[in-house]
Amino acid sequence: MRLTKFTDLALRVSMRLAVLDEGETPTSRQVAEAVGAPYTHVAKVVSRLQRMGVLEARRGRGGGLVLTGRGLDASVGWMVRELEGHGDVVGCEDLPPCPLRSACRLRMALQTAQEAFYQVLDPMTVRDLVDGPVRPVLVQLLRR
């Protein structure tokens, strides 16, 4: 399974925000620069993460982005499910539908594999992702 660029970017943004110093509130533009992504893409990711309750985006003077408590302790599996959507791995029901769909065992096998993928990510949190040797690298990203 391959994650979309949107999901990858959302996880990178969350990880960067997870290591902010107290009172540090970078803008979407600063985070975009730090994670090496276009501002327009990061703005869309920020909007989605805000709707999910993962981060807060404050406007105006003194505004910026802050990861919420829910965002810090969010299950990576939950985040990926929400960001990727709940569709099938393959397009069995696309137009035209696959002619094998009534007797095919591939679809069920791929759904089982997809759920196993998510189950590995479920116990892991954003906090877990930023512990250890990655923390100093993430901290340094906004300080360049």
Side-chain angles (χ1 to χ4, degrees):
M1 184 173 162
R2 184 180 177 110
L3 298 180
T4 61
K5 289 182 181 182
F6 187 86
T7 298
D8 173 51
L9 185 54
L11 292 171
R12 287 191 284 149
V13 166
S14 299
M15 289 171 64
R16 178 55 192 100
L17 294 177
V19 297
L20 292 177
D21 290 332
E22 180 94 21
E24 189 179 4
T25 55
T27 64
S28 295
R29 197 169 299 281
Q30 290 170 320
V31 171
E33 205 171 283
V35 298
Y39 166 73
T40 54
H41 294 164
V42 169
K44 290 174 187 174
V45 163
V46 164
S47 177
R48 180 73 182 277
L49 291 175
Q50 190 174 13
R51 285 193 310 270
M52 290 169 58
V54 172
L55 64 79
E56 290 180 7
R58 302 179 193 134
R59 293 181 173 264
R61 190 177 181 110
L65 305 176
V66 177
L67 200 66
T68 64
R70 178 182 184 174
L72 192 57
D73 293 320
S75 159
V76 175
W78 170 78
M79 287 181 67
V80 172
R81 279 184 186 93
E82 289 296 310
L83 294 163
E84 290 288 316
H86 299 282
D88 286 335
V89 177
V90 292
C92 300
E93 302 299 328
D94 291 349
L95 291 175
C98 176
L100 302 175
R101 74 183 183 281
S102 64
C104 184
R105 296 170 68 188
L106 178 61
R107 182 180 189 182
M108 183 55 80
L110 291 173
Q111 287 173 338
T112 301
Q114 181 181 31
E115 189 52 37
F117 172 80
Y118 288 137
Q119 285 178 0
V120 169
L121 297 176
D122 282 339
M124 189 177 297
T125 66
V126 173
R127 185 186 310 268
D128 296 332
L129 293 178
V130 300
D131 281 343
V134 74
R135 180 174 282 281
V137 175
L138 289 164
V139 169
Q140 195 60 31
L141 286 177
L142 279 178
R143 301 218 167 95
R144 282 194 245 156

